[in-house]
Amino acid sequence: MKIDRRSFLGLGLGAAAGVAVSPATWKLMDDSSIWTQNWSWTPVPRDGEVTFDNTVCSLCPGNCGLSVRKIDGRPVKIEGRADYPVNTGGVCLHGVSGLQYLYDPSRIKTPLKRTGDTFEAISWDDALELVATKLAEIKDAGKADRIACVTNHGVGTIPGLFGRFVKALGSNNVYAMDTMDKTWEKTLEKMHGVHGTLGFDLENSDFVLSFGTGLIEGWGSPVSNFKANSSRKERGATLVQVEPRLSNTAANADTWIAAKPNTEADLALGMANVIISNNLYNTGYYVSGFGPGFDELTAMLKENYSPEAVAQTTGIKAAVIVDLAKRFVKAGAPVAIAGKGKGATPGSMREFAAVHLLNCLAGNINTKGGAWILSPQDYDQWPAVEMDDAASEAIEKPAMDPAGSVAGFFAKAGADKSVEALLISDANPCFALADAQAVTKAVQDIPFVVSFSSFMDETTQLADVVLPSHTFLERTEDLPSGAGMARRVTGLAKPVIDPVFNTKNPGDAILAIAKAMEGTVGDSFPWESYEECLEAVTGDLWSDLSDQGYAAVQETPPATRPSVDFTFVAQNPAPIAAEGTEADFALILVPLDNVRIAAGSIASSPFAVKTVADTVLLGKDVLVEMNPETAKANKLSQGDLAVIETPRGKATVKVNLFEGIMPGVVAMVKGLGHAMDENRYVNGKGVNINELMGPVMDADSGLDAVWGIRAKISKA
Amino acid sequence: MKQDKHGKNHKFGMVVDLDKCTGCGSCMVACMSENNVPFKEDESNKKDSLTWMRVYKITNGKSFPETEICYMPRPCMHCGGKGDHGHSPCVSVCPAVATDYDHSSGIVSQIYTRCFGCRYCMGACPYHARYFNWWDPKWPEGMESYLSPDVSPRMRGVVEKCSFCFHRYQEARDLAYVEERDDIEEQEYQTACTQACPAGAITFGDLNNPDHAVSQLVEPDAHNCGKPKNPKAFRLLERLQTNPKVYYVSEREWVRKAGDNYLDGEWEKVKNNHGKDHG
């Protein structure tokens, strides 16, 4: 066929029309754009049947009920359990991030043994045998009292098994990490002569006076407190926050009272003086009248804590103190609470006692909306521990820290290097305790350290044997409430997935070690598995626990009306000052609890770190908060690199100016500065404030008492 | 133009009580977990940090001890655009119809496979609610196991944003269809952030339905593009006439004032209606 001009144009037009009409072009364009986005490395999550499993979170002492959404048996999302009495559907960001802990590739995947500076993977049998043999050697050498154990929490059957195991060996050295609960226990002993802890019925109180507690920064049982706090408007309740810095709690409160750091006790005592001298205290409440020391207290307060004197100490106007005292005591259901930040550290007994004095004067002990004295958790009933002669002899020796303080224990361990073996379960003292360097040194000096942990945290890195634990999503565990909760609820965590790695429930690990040791130690653990043990020792509670996932143990205030012994407060215990001299260190550095940063035994998840503001963490630098006035005095401006120095150490930080912090005070967030090589989401980000702080032990309680340390800062 | 000819249209919206919000960040993480939002080693450069829901911290600017702060969660506002006809700032500029306004739900969609990454929408959005995937998402080894099939993971080169958990709406509708119901209940469709908020600060529902809590909280004026009749309620940058479906409530005047920009002395004149009527 001859191609002439006519046919050429005809064919050309025909082709153009064909292309325009045919869907091929558009289809190909569509296909190619889909193809360019259909890259093999973009995951396509598998679909399947949707199911929900209930469990309980144990990332913090709040113990919220969780509902885990699963697709084809695979957990994909954590939500709050709507019918759970602690959190009724709400959930904090750490709980939601639970799956990031579960699947964290930096988790410990198998038992490890230290050889020199490195770890070597070994089998569970070998690891358990190794621990059993070593502990038996120490015991046989008559040094059983030099075996110690540190758990994260002190209640529940897993810490119970650890305590029982160490007892069966013949040692009293069983410690849980120090929290405000320990200070409350000692305060109750002094003021009511009872053994127990204090819970606060915040959801029914109409006037909450908080002395620096971070009610919405993660204090106690965080979600429960969020709920109580946000129902304030509907209930007509008031929140007053006493704190030198505008925390989220202070910002959310009806009134923020910026008292100078560590003068909370003075403010409370000043208020008590106003209440007593105006005869405003609740006389009707105490049928038998006040216990000993009331007259001495009255005189002492009158002499030392007049509104004018307290105004001088705290920086709060006298009229404000008087008004606050009157508003507090005249409220229908007032409650005063102490335990700074998240409540994860103890505190000064003078402060706790002064705050609790307000509760006593208001007559709110064991009342709706008040402070409840809760007897120690005792639902777990254990058979007697069997002990051979060596154990019975060793157990006669007292614990290394008679006050039961874990900080005190490590101070002693570091000083006399007498600890032979240390078992650590789910705790990270080398990171979370003040003066982290000294604690690290103390642990390094212990010849045999066994860590039961899911993560290669700072303490586990120093272990000789690592026994990897299930995360909370893989384990069974009873989780009793505490941490300032008034109602008592015990939850049951249940595995929502088979173990992702070669890990064990620490309860099972301890049972296996005990059995391997045979003799009376083995005999003290007659259970085949941790679950059997749990069912046996929880007794009456078990049916509720297993049926509904929790057991509500106590919902109403205890019926007793305890008497009050005022002697301790009446003695006017001396305030404990922050470490350092004002001449050398003009500023005060206070720790800052941020709800988005996990500051206890676990590190923050990648999701949690992602939510942290760039005014807190920028790249690898932590920003310290200071008033523009403080910055000016120290020749600093926003974003400057600076060196902050305390009597315990120094660090390079950046400066963040914040109007809401008292001049002369510098605040730095807790929970940063992890050294966990394999977890690049937290490793080397920021500074661990515990390297700048030191414990200041309270002679009255034997616990670390100070919130903050003196510091100075200059441009780097 | 109404696309849905069957039955009444929904207008899903959110109300955030800023006096209850504690800035805890649960909403941000619940959103990331629900919607397969990836994360990087360093997320402190907030301009490239993918946060469909972001909580801002604002202050009243006063010095110690008069300072106040307030947290302000910011999802996509799902703007109705001028006159509330569906001409949202982003929808108006998208050359690929990758983002569109659904008249039956009031939700602004984002179709990742249609998006070719021109980012006009990001420039158009006055709320910084849109984020661009500068990199391919990478989950640490093993963490892909927790990804949800309800929301497709995005790829490098596309824009993403809050969808009001649209997949949850689809699921609720599917269930209603199977159970032969005409419509879904208020509680059947709630976003992940609403569900997670431990302070109960977020309320979600149908602004067109007077029985829903969102309508009762802000009293949207149907004749005025949904402007809140409740004087304590406001929308961000109200006077741009974007007509967002996210409302904020606060008793604090300085917080309400922070929702828009005002000339000196202007606030006093408009503080009870936040600007002109939209007509």
Side-chain angles (χ1 to χ4, degrees):
Chain A
M1 178 186 155
K2 189 181 160 215
I3 307 273
D4 57 12
R5 184 169 176 273
R6 172 184 287 258
S7 61
F8 176 79
L9 284 175
L11 278 171
L13 285 172
V19 167
V21 171
S22 152
T25 319
W26 314 113
K27 178 74 180 125
L28 284 172
M29 259 169 78
D30 189 37
D31 280 357
S32 61
S33 66
I34 288 171
W35 176 79
T36 57
Q37 292 168 345
N38 230 348
W39 291 327
S40 56
W41 53 86
T42 304
V44 182
R46 260 182 304 116
D47 210 344
E49 191 194 353
V50 183
T51 54
F52 291 87
D53 275 1
N54 287 335
T55 188
V56 180
C57 180
S58 57
L59 291 172
C60 88
N63 302 344
C64 293
L66 302 179
S67 164
V68 182
R69 185 163 88 220
K70 294 162 75 172
I71 305 275
D72 198 18
R74 178 172 62 91
V76 298
K77 172 88 193 291
I78 293 179
E79 284 153 8
R81 182 175 161 186
D83 61 345
Y84 198 79
V86 174
N87 56 316
T88 49
V91 63
C92 85
L93 79 170
H94 302 293
V96 180
S97 307
L99 298 174
Q100 297 198 322
Y101 291 107
L102 175 70
Y103 290 117
D104 181 354
S106 71
R107 269 185 68 183
I108 305 164
K109 302 180 179 79
T110 177
L112 302 169
K113 183 179 87 170
R114 170 174 301 281
T115 34
D117 286 340
T118 54
F119 282 115
E120 178 193 331
I122 55 172
S123 71
W124 267 105
D125 286 347
D126 290 350
L128 296 169
E129 184 61 34
L130 181 65
V131 176
T133 313
K134 187 74 193 172
L135 294 178
E137 265 172 36
I138 297 169
K139 180 167 176 285
D140 293 343
K143 294 178 180 169
D145 62 304
R146 313 271 179 84
I147 298 171
C149 155
V150 173
T151 56
N152 194 23
H153 308 302
V155 286
T157 56
I158 290 183
L161 277 172
F162 274 89
R164 183 178 175 84
F165 177 64
V166 174
K167 282 248 150 63
L169 292 172
S171 171
N172 287 305
N173 286 303
V174 179
Y175 306 90
M177 292 295 280
D178 298 338
T179 67
M180 63 168 178
D181 283 341
K182 288 195 185 177
T183 314
W184 277 124
E185 279 168 25
K186 306 226 175 225
T187 307
L188 294 186
E189 269 169 34
K190 278 264 200 288
M191 295 184 73
H192 300 294
V194 297
H195 187 51
T197 187
L198 209 56
F200 304 92
D201 190 14
L202 299 177
E203 61 201 52
N204 291 309
S205 168
D206 66 354
F207 195 103
V208 177
L209 175 57
S210 152
F211 288 85
T213 65
L215 281 179
I216 55 174
E217 341 275 333
W219 186 84
S221 185
V223 176
S224 156
N225 291 330
F226 281 129
K227 298 231 164 224
N229 181 63
S230 71
S231 67
R232 245 170 47 223
K233 203 160 47 169
E234 287 84 6
R235 294 186 289 116
T238 303
L239 170 65
V240 176
Q241 179 76 358
V242 178
E243 203 175 355
R245 172 185 170 269
L246 184 71
S247 64
N248 289 356
T249 310
N252 205 268
D254 298 282
T255 311
W256 168 38
I257 294 187
K260 289 180 194 164
N262 291 314
T263 62
E264 290 83 357
D266 299 86
L267 178 60
L269 291 170
M271 288 175 63
N273 182 39
V274 173
I275 292 169
I276 294 176
S277 55
N278 289 291
N279 279 322
L280 294 171
Y281 53 94
N282 190 342
T283 42
Y285 176 81
Y286 299 96
V287 180
S288 55
F290 286 134
F294 188 68
D295 295 338
E296 292 85 341
L297 173 76
T298 308
M300 188 282 288
L301 290 176
K302 200 171 175 185
E303 190 184 332
N304 301 299
Y305 294 96
S306 67
E308 293 69 29
V310 174
Q312 194 68 32
T313 325
T314 59
I316 309 294
K317 290 192 183 92
V320 173
I321 298 168
V322 173
D323 176 60
L324 184 61
K326 290 182 176 170
R327 277 167 65 207
F328 175 78
V329 80
K330 286 178 180 167
V335 67
I337 57 176
K340 292 196 180 109
K342 289 182 180 174
T345 44
S348 140
M349 213 156 115
R350 172 177 181 258
E351 181 182 315
F352 279 53
V355 170
H356 189 53
L357 175 63
L358 295 176
N359 289 325
C360 296
L361 294 174
N364 70 4
I365 314 293
N366 293 347
T367 60
K368 192 175 176 192
W372 299 4
I373 297 177
L374 305 168
S375 54
Q377 293 273 11
D378 60 354
Y379 64 85
D380 45 338
Q381 295 297 326
W382 303 81
V385 178
E386 296 187 35
M387 288 186 180
D388 55 16
D389 292 346
S392 306
E393 196 179 311
I395 200 89
E396 291 302 313
K397 296 185 187 148
M400 286 173 63
D401 188 89
S405 155
V406 76
F409 162 74
F410 279 113
K412 184 102 194 308
D416 65 13
K417 305 194 183 358
S418 58
V419 180
E420 291 285 337
L422 175 66
L423 311 180
I424 296 182
S425 171
D426 293 335
N428 188 9
C430 295
F431 178 84
L433 287 179
D435 204 352
Q437 305 96 309
V439 176
T440 303
K441 183 78 183 44
V443 174
Q444 277 166 342
D445 286 341
I446 298 172
F448 189 64
V449 178
V450 185
S451 177
F452 301 70
S453 171
S454 301
F455 305 99
M456 196 44 93
D457 53 44
E458 286 79 356
T459 312
T460 307
Q461 287 165 29
L462 305 176
D464 296 282
V465 179
V466 181
L467 301 177
S469 297
H470 293 341
T471 59
F472 72 98
L473 294 169
E474 300 159 297
R475 67 162 80 164
T476 306
E477 183 176 8
D478 56 322
L479 298 161
S481 58
M485 276 254 299
R487 284 175 304 134
R488 274 205 158 155
V489 179
T490 295
L492 181 70
K494 285 179 287 191
V496 300
I497 184 174
D498 289 337
V500 175
F501 301 112
N502 184 16
T503 56
K504 271 190 198 295
N505 186 313
D508 278 318
I510 217 73
L511 282 178
I513 295 169
K515 284 195 188 309
M517 290 186 73
E518 297 173 345
T520 49
V521 178
D523 293 344
S524 297
F525 296 83
W527 310 282
E528 284 304 314
S529 67
Y530 169 66
E531 292 192 22
E532 187 192 315
C533 162
L534 180 65
E535 191 175 338
V537 302
T538 49
D540 298 342
L541 226 55
W542 179 251
S543 63
D544 273 359
L545 281 178
S546 55
D547 291 350
Q548 54 184 18
Y550 67 89
V553 186
Q554 188 182 337
E555 305 257 19
T556 50
T560 53
R561 287 273 188 272
S563 65
V564 190
D565 181 347
F566 295 99
T567 329
F568 173 69
V569 193
Q571 287 161 353
N572 193 17
I576 300 168
E579 192 181 344
T581 57
E582 199 171 343
D584 294 332
F585 300 97
L587 306 170
I588 289 191
L589 170 68
V590 294
L592 179 169
D593 267 322
N594 181 326
V595 69
R596 300 186 193 173
I597 300 176
S601 294
I602 55 155
S604 302
S605 63
F607 275 158
V609 176
K610 183 170 172 176
T611 66
V612 175
D614 54 5
T615 50
V616 175
L617 176 70
L618 189 59
K620 296 252 175 187
D621 293 316
V622 60
L623 288 93
V624 296
E625 217 171 64
M626 66 178 75
N627 194 286
E629 213 176 279
T630 317
K632 204 174 159 195
N634 290 280
K635 301 186 181 62
L636 293 165
S637 47
Q638 177 71 31
D640 277 355
L641 262 184
V643 174
I644 186 159
E645 190 178 346
T646 71
R648 297 279 174 150
K650 60 177 170 182
T652 305
V653 296
K654 277 190 170 165
V655 173
N656 180 41
L657 303 185
F658 179 46
E659 295 279 4
I661 186 167
M662 183 178 279
V665 180
V666 179
M668 182 168 158
V669 74
K670 287 173 88 173
L672 293 178
H674 273 286
M676 293 165 72
D677 285 349
E678 287 176 46
N679 183 344
R680 53 202 178 92
Y681 300 95
V682 296
N683 183 43
K685 287 190 180 178
V687 173
N688 181 5
I689 190 170
N690 288 320
E691 290 171 6
L692 301 176
M693 316 279 290
V696 181
M697 301 309 261
D698 186 339
D700 292 312
S701 67
L703 297 161
D704 181 8
V706 168
W707 183 257
I709 190 165
R710 299 212 72 96
K712 60 183 174 186
I713 191 163
S714 57
K715 206 162 179 167
Chain B
M1 185 184 73
K2 295 275 194 296
Q3 291 178 341
D4 185 354
K5 303 275 194 293
H6 310 287
K8 224 174 80 190
N9 282 337
H10 296 293
K11 189 175 163 190
F12 290 107
M14 187 178 279
V15 180
V16 186
D17 187 333
L18 298 177
D19 299 337
K20 285 189 175 174
C21 176
T22 64
C24 75
S26 278
C27 54
M28 296 174 76
V29 173
C31 170
M32 292 187 237
S33 180
E34 177 79 19
N35 293 296
N36 295 336
V37 178
F39 50 90
K40 307 187 299 290
E41 187 174 328
D42 182 5
E43 291 279 5
S44 65
N45 179 359
K46 299 301 175 189
K47 284 180 184 160
D48 66 30
S49 181
L50 303 170
T51 42
W52 293 13
M53 171 61 111
R54 181 170 171 194
V55 180
Y56 286 89
K57 181 179 179 176
I58 58 174
T59 90
N60 65 349
K62 293 191 180 169
S63 57
F64 183 88
E66 306 293 311
T67 323
E68 287 184 39
I69 53 175
C70 175
Y71 288 92
M72 184 175 270
R74 189 256 32 224
C76 168
M77 301 283 141
H78 294 273
C79 303
K82 191 170 182 188
D84 217 8
H85 300 306
H87 302 297
S88 323
C90 52
V91 170
S92 309
V93 298
C94 181
V97 205
T99 186
D100 203 1
Y101 190 85
D102 176 24
H103 290 268
S104 70
S105 63
I107 290 175
V108 176
S109 63
Q110 182 74 20
I111 313 290
Y112 315 119
T113 45
R114 278 188 195 162
C115 174
F116 52 76
C118 71
R119 292 172 276 142
Y120 285 5
C121 57
M122 292 175 67
C125 175
Y127 303 104
H128 299 288
R130 296 176 155 272
Y131 294 90
F132 184 63
N133 282 275
W134 289 99
W135 301 276
D136 265 315
K138 274 203 192 90
W139 283 270
E141 189 195 341
M143 253 189 226
E144 285 178 10
S145 302
Y146 76 56
L147 295 179
S148 159
D150 297 332
V151 183
S152 48
R154 281 71 63 189
M155 59 301 279
R156 179 177 66 197
V158 304
V159 170
E160 61 181 71
K161 68 159 192 84
C162 154
S163 67
F164 268 176
C165 288
F166 189 75
H167 58 284
R168 290 188 171 209
Y169 178 46
Q170 288 173 313
E171 271 166 29
R173 272 192 320 188
D174 287 352
L175 185 69
Y177 180 78
V178 169
E179 293 176 355
E180 298 182 343
R181 284 182 282 131
D182 288 339
D183 211 348
I184 59 168
E185 296 294 319
E186 183 177 11
Q187 286 308 313
E188 280 187 300
Y189 170 36
Q190 292 290 320
T191 63
C193 51
T194 310
Q195 185 190 28
C197 178
I202 308 178
T203 312
F204 185 80
D206 186 357
L207 294 161
N208 277 350
N209 188 334
D211 295 333
H212 281 205
V214 282
S215 305
Q216 291 163 358
L217 281 169
V218 297
E219 303 159 51
D221 185 349
H223 304 294
N224 199 358
C225 301
K227 251 188 82 176
K229 285 191 230 166
N230 174 358
K232 299 291 158 71
F234 66 101
R235 301 188 286 188
L236 289 183
L237 305 177
E238 177 70 57
R239 296 182 300 175
L240 287 182
Q241 304 189 20
T242 49
N243 289 315
K245 279 191 273 297
V246 177
Y247 296 74
Y248 297 91
V249 181
S250 178
E251 295 286 329
R252 291 170 285 179
E253 192 179 325
W254 74 265
V255 171
R256 299 198 296 272
K257 190 180 172 190
D260 207 339
N261 303 297
Y262 298 96
L263 299 170
D264 281 348
E266 195 182 7
W267 168 251
E268 286 305 318
K269 288 179 231 150
V270 299
K271 66 179 176 184
N272 288 320
N273 70 353
H274 308 293
K276 294 182 291 196
D277 290 350
H278 292 178

